[in-house]
Amino acid sequence: MSSTTALKELSDLLGFLGNEQRLRILRAIAEEEKYAREISEELGISRPLVTIYLKQLEKRGLAVGTARVTDDPPLMRRYYRAVPFALVVDLDLIKNLREE
């Protein structure tokens, strides 16, 4: 985050990351890539919800998905891995937030 970050942008990101299931999914793909069903079984979260959260993580640039052909059904799987990032929120950042 830069000093020109908008208040709403930071609030949205913190709210997004404040979801326990999203954090668990992010942690699950932090060290090795996995596909939705694998994550679903590992975490005990429904596959449709895992898929939604993975797409949201990808849209925000926190994860990257790669489609691959496999020998086992389904023949096409999308594997996800976390993208390294740092988020530092301190008083200086908060003082310099734009109101936009």
Side-chain angles (χ1 to χ4, degrees):
M1 295 260 130
S2 71
S3 62
T4 60
T5 301
L7 182 70
K8 181 163 178 29
E9 179 184 353
L10 178 60
S11 176
D12 289 347
L13 180 59
L14 291 175
F16 179 79
L17 290 174
N19 178 287
E20 182 181 342
Q21 290 181 331
R22 286 190 196 109
L23 286 176
R24 292 176 67 213
I25 291 168
L26 197 54
R27 182 180 62 193
I29 60 174
E31 296 196 24
E32 69 177 290
E33 61 184 11
K34 298 176 183 176
Y35 57 98
R37 189 178 79 209
E38 187 177 18
I39 297 166
S40 172
E41 291 171 358
E42 179 182 320
L43 301 179
I45 301 171
S46 75
R47 190 184 51 74
L49 187 57
V50 167
T51 300
I52 289 168
Y53 285 162
L54 286 168
K55 288 179 182 178
Q56 290 174 343
L57 287 164
E58 191 172 27
K59 183 178 178 182
R60 289 182 180 263
L62 301 172
V64 172
T66 306
R68 292 209 190 103
V69 176
T70 64
D71 294 333
D72 302 319
L75 298 177
M76 183 67 78
R77 288 185 184 149
R78 188 160 184 86
Y79 287 82
Y80 292 87
R81 64 177 170 79
V83 173
F85 69 94
L87 176 61
V88 177
V89 179
D90 60 13
L91 192 53
D92 287 334
L93 174 73
I94 292 169
K95 287 190 309 188
N96 293 309
L97 290 171
R98 290 181 289 115
E99 282 292 332
E100 297 176 5

